Amino acid sequence: SGVDSWESLRRDFQADKLENLLDKPYKNYYTRRLAMKKNKKLAAILLFCLAFIVTSTAVYADIAARTGYDQLKAAAKATAANMVKGLQSFTIETTISIKDNDMALYTIDGTQKIDYLANATERTEKSDNTDKVSYSYSDSEYSIWKSSDSDIYFITEQPANNSRKLITDPFEEERIGDIEKIIDALVGNLKDCVVAEDKPDGSQELSGSLNEAQIPPLVNAVSSFYFKQSGGRMAVTGQELPELTNDIFIKNVKGRAIVNKDGIVESSLATFVLSGNDRTGASHDLTFDILFRLTGINSTIVSKPDLTGKKVEKRINNYIDINAKEIPERFLGTYKNDIVVIEDGQFVKIGERLLQVERIEDGRIKVRLYEVYKEAYAADYENRKLDISLEAVTTSGYYAEFTANDIFKSTDLKLEGLSFDPISSKIRFDGGWPGTFDGEFNRVFED
């Protein structure tokens, strides 16, 4: 379902699903689930900062190409804004290649076409080391998808009230402003290490390079920390790389960007070398080349593919309204999890913990949380057995907060709210609880 979704974010990036980078379905639900996984979130933030600093493919700029630093930032923002509102159509082409000590490891080519007139988008991706192609297409009526490992095209009919966006502006995300400040601070005086050349046709070429001595120590520290945490798997590509463990640093960075006369970044090429040693002491220079091109401006046409003669399967539409302001009534019912202890070194189920969603009305949710123990354990747990009722108020799509926390004073629970998983039908308590309390409940279905 993508709940633990940095991996999902990586897959979206790899597939050039740029419109999904920030506009994930069920965003409020996922955000709260991610907040509970602090270590993963920290690694994700560090990765994002590193990727932004070194390559910034997601915002069509790179630190090496930040010649005329402020000019390129302005061009990147103008490009993103125009792709959301301004241009009628365009094609995004990206190529990412990786070498280890000059030996080619991977090359990934992705193409995404956006056509606002047809309200359609199309994506393809090809990896040289597999020579397999993934494909996706969507418009206001249908979505079509084929993985690189299959020749089957899956078709899903879009709902009439579909509120999807073809692409979103990453600079509109509220945290981007803080990240931008961090990057500005890290770049520091490197803003001056740039070359900007104005062309006769009104376009501008921005280029530059940084050597090992010019790379800020903090950038290398973040790079080293992230790479060790990732275990050698880079989010930019999703590919496994040599696992560097010692003396990790960025050896050099260089880049070039072309900004047209309208202030839109038409292309950028960034190259950086990450150097380090693996566990055996062998040294590696990992070279990353990242190319971005914006072509077919106002001339790209996206048409529904002809699948005649292809293997086709229709899928049930599981569309969920991400803008829902209230928890849907389909969550009414009983949910449970097992109460488990360890006896003689073995896991033993001693009872069940049940959550009954009794009422969903006018943004208010009434639930009962109680425990049922097996007869052999009932007496031992009688005094600590849970049986409480509470009300929660919907604060955002698929999340509700309790109206009062004092109801838990008689227990060790410090619960804050309920997360409703719109895909798997699970419900989870948010907050703190003793180690014996499992906060995730599965729906009980009648056979």
Side-chain angles (χ1 to χ4, degrees), residues 61-208:
D62 55 76
I63 191 173
R66 288 178 190 266
T67 55
Y69 181 80
D70 293 329
Q71 298 177 55
L72 188 54
K73 274 208 309 184
K77 292 178 179 180
T79 303
N82 272 279
M83 288 194 297
V84 173
K85 185 177 181 180
L87 302 180
Q88 294 181 349
S89 64
F90 52 88
T91 298
I92 300 170
E93 299 174 0
T94 57
T95 298
I96 302 174
S97 65
I98 308 173
K99 293 183 291 186
D100 178 19
N101 294 337
D102 295 325
M103 181 180 69
L105 293 181
Y106 306 104
T107 298
I108 300 174
D109 293 297
T111 300
Q112 180 182 22
K113 296 181 179 181
I114 301 290
D115 185 349
Y116 285 108
L117 297 179
N119 194 25
T121 179
E122 183 179 54
R123 292 182 294 271
T124 59
E125 183 191 271
K126 177 182 177 181
S127 177
D128 274 355
N129 61 315
T130 61
D131 201 31
K132 296 179 180 180
V133 178
S134 62
Y135 174 87
S136 66
Y137 165 90
S138 68
D139 58 25
S140 57
E141 297 181 348
Y142 299 96
S143 66
I144 301 172
W145 177 78
K146 184 190 80 69
S147 77
S148 59
D149 298 319
S150 172
D151 59 354
I152 300 175
Y153 289 81
F154 296 96
I155 300 179
T156 304
E157 186 175 350
Q158 303 276 25
N161 64 343
N162 181 28
S163 59
R164 70 193 178 91
K165 295 181 179 180
L166 297 185
I167 197 168
T168 58
D169 185 348
F171 291 103
E172 291 182 348
E173 212 273 343
E174 59 182 288
R175 285 170 290 184
I176 285 293
D178 293 331
I179 294 174
E180 183 179 339
K181 292 177 182 178
I182 294 173
I183 294 171
D184 287 343
L186 287 173
V187 171
N189 293 332
L190 295 180
K191 297 176 184 179
D192 300 326
C193 300
V194 298
V195 176
E197 181 181 353
D198 295 327
K199 301 293 185 179
D201 61 359
S203 64
Q204 189 178 47
E205 179 178 332
L206 306 170
S207 61

Side-chain angles (χ1 to χ4, degrees), residues 338-401:
D338 295 331
I339 302 175
V340 178
V341 297
I342 299 176
E343 289 185 356
D344 299 326
Q346 301 297 320
F347 290 113
V348 177
K349 177 181 175 180
I350 65 173
E352 292 180 342
R353 187 173 292 110
L354 294 103
L355 176 68
Q356 285 188 332
V357 181
E358 299 175 340
R359 187 179 72 244
I360 300 176
E361 186 177 352
D362 297 329
R364 304 184 74 86
I365 301 168
K366 183 179 180 180
V367 302
R368 179 190 174 201
L369 175 64
Y370 64 101
E371 296 174 339
V372 177
Y373 288 89
K374 292 182 177 181
E375 185 177 352
Y377 298 90
D380 294 335
Y381 289 88
E382 183 65 30
N383 294 331
R384 54 183 293 186
K385 183 169 62 175
L386 279 174
D387 192 348
I388 53 180
S389 295
L390 56 95
E391 281 197 351
V393 178
T394 303
T395 57
S396 59
Y398 304 101
Y399 190 80
E401 294 180 351

Side-chain angles (χ1 to χ4, degrees), residues 147-414:
S147 77
S148 59
D149 298 319
S150 172
D151 59 354
I152 300 175
Y153 289 81
F154 296 96
I155 300 179
T156 304
E157 186 175 350
Q158 303 276 25
N161 64 343
N162 181 28
S163 59
R164 70 193 178 91
K165 295 181 179 180
L166 297 185
I167 197 168
T168 58
D169 185 348
F171 291 103
E172 291 182 348
E173 212 273 343
E174 59 182 288
R175 285 170 290 184
I176 285 293
D178 293 331
I179 294 174
E180 183 179 339
K181 292 177 182 178
I182 294 173
I183 294 171
D184 287 343
L186 287 173
V187 171
N189 293 332
L190 295 180
K191 297 176 184 179
D192 300 326
C193 300
V194 298
V195 176
E197 181 181 353
D198 295 327
K199 301 293 185 179
D201 61 359
S203 64
Q204 189 178 47
E205 179 178 332
L206 306 170
S207 61
S209 63
L210 303 173
N211 59 38
E212 178 182 340
Q214 293 172 301
I215 304 294
L218 185 55
V219 172
N220 277 323
V222 172
S223 306
S224 177
F225 180 82
Y226 163 69
F227 202 85
K228 289 178 180 178
Q229 294 295 311
S230 71
R233 181 176 287 275
M234 293 295 286
V236 172
T237 64
Q239 305 291 351
E240 291 186 1
L241 305 176
E243 186 176 356
L244 307 184
T245 57
N246 298 297
D247 301 325
I248 302 173
F249 64 95
I250 298 176
K251 181 175 287 187
N252 60 68
V253 180
K254 58 183 178 181
R256 174 176 173 267
I258 301 296
V259 181
N260 68 18
K261 62 181 181 180
D262 297 318
I264 295 176
V265 179
E266 288 190 340
S267 68
S268 70
L269 172 62
T271 299
F272 72 96
V273 179
L274 187 68
S275 182
N277 300 328
D278 62 24
R279 296 184 185 279
T280 68
S283 62
H284 296 266
D285 280 347
L286 299 178
T287 302
F288 297 80
D289 291 303
I290 303 163
L291 172 66
F292 160 82
R293 296 180 65 224
L294 187 64
T295 62
I297 295 177
N298 295 332
S299 62
T300 295
I301 298 176
V302 178
S303 302
K304 186 179 178 180
D306 182 3
L307 300 182
T308 303
K310 305 291 186 181
K311 294 181 180 180
V312 175
E313 287 188 15
K314 290 187 176 181
R315 284 190 164 181
I316 298 174
N317 177 25
N318 286 321
Y319 175 79
I320 304 297
D321 183 7
I322 64 174
N323 298 312
K325 296 181 180 180
E326 295 188 4
I327 306 300
E329 290 189 356
R330 65 176 174 271
F331 282 98
L332 287 169
T334 302
Y335 302 75
K336 72 174 183 178
N337 61 44
D338 295 331
I339 302 175
V340 178
V341 297
I342 299 176
E343 289 185 356
D344 299 326
Q346 301 297 320
F347 290 113
V348 177
K349 177 181 175 180
I350 65 173
E352 292 180 342
R353 187 173 292 110
L354 294 103
L355 176 68
Q356 285 188 332
V357 181
E358 299 175 340
R359 187 179 72 244
I360 300 176
E361 186 177 352
D362 297 329
R364 304 184 74 86
I365 301 168
K366 183 179 180 180
V367 302
R368 179 190 174 201
L369 175 64
Y370 64 101
E371 296 174 339
V372 177
Y373 288 89
K374 292 182 177 181
E375 185 177 352
Y377 298 90
D380 294 335
Y381 289 88
E382 183 65 30
N383 294 331
R384 54 183 293 186
K385 183 169 62 175
L386 279 174
D387 192 348
I388 53 180
S389 295
L390 56 95
E391 281 197 351
V393 178
T394 303
T395 57
S396 59
Y398 304 101
Y399 190 80
E401 294 180 351
F402 300 129
T403 55
N405 286 323
D406 56 1
I407 196 168
F408 301 110
K409 285 184 178 179
S410 59
T411 72
D412 292 328
L413 299 178
K414 296 180 180 179

